[in-house]
Amino acid sequence: MTDRSEMFDRLKGLIAPFNKKGVEISEVTTFAGDLEWDSLTVMDFVAEVEDDFDIVISMNLQAEIENVGHLVDAVKKLTD
C-alpha cells in the first residue's frame, strides 16, 4: 500500500489533534509516557486510526503497541 515513511506521516497527522502537549512525534514517542494519554484518549485515537485505514486493531495488538514506531508497524502489517 504505502511505504513506512508515508505511513508514519499519515499516523503523525492523526496524532496531531490528540497531541495536547505539543510533543515532538518520532518513532520512539510513547503514548502513555510522552503524550500522557489516558485510556479514553487511546480508545478515541484507535477509532480514528481504524476509520482512516479501514482496519480493526484487536485489543491484544493494542496492548503490544507502546510507541509510534510499533503503531506504524502494526498498521502497515494490517494494511498490506
Side-chain angles (χ1 to χ4, degrees), residues 15 18-25 28-43 45 66-68:
I15 291 169
F18 296 92
N19 187 2
K20 304 297 185 203
K21 297 197 157 278
V23 173
E24 182 68 32
I25 304 301
V28 296
T29 303
T30 61
F31 298 103
D34 297 326
L35 295 170
E36 298 180 12
W37 288 359
D38 59 20
S39 58
L40 182 58
T41 303
V42 170
M43 294 307 290
F45 175 68
E66 295 178 10
N67 62 39
V68 175

Side-chain angles (χ1 to χ4, degrees), residues 33 36 46 50 64 74 77:
E36 298 180 12
V46 168
E50 289 177 332
E64 296 174 12
K77 188 174 182 181

Side-chain angles (χ1 to χ4, degrees), residues 6-23:
E6 290 172 349
M7 183 74 64
F8 172 78
D9 289 341
R10 191 166 163 189
L11 287 166
K12 188 175 172 181
L14 292 176
I15 291 169
F18 296 92
N19 187 2
K20 304 297 185 203
K21 297 197 157 278
V23 173

Side-chain angles (χ1 to χ4, degrees), residues 44-57:
D44 288 344
F45 175 68
V46 168
E48 284 290 321
V49 172
E50 289 177 332
D51 289 348
D52 192 79
F53 288 93
D54 195 27
I55 57 173
V56 174
I57 303 173

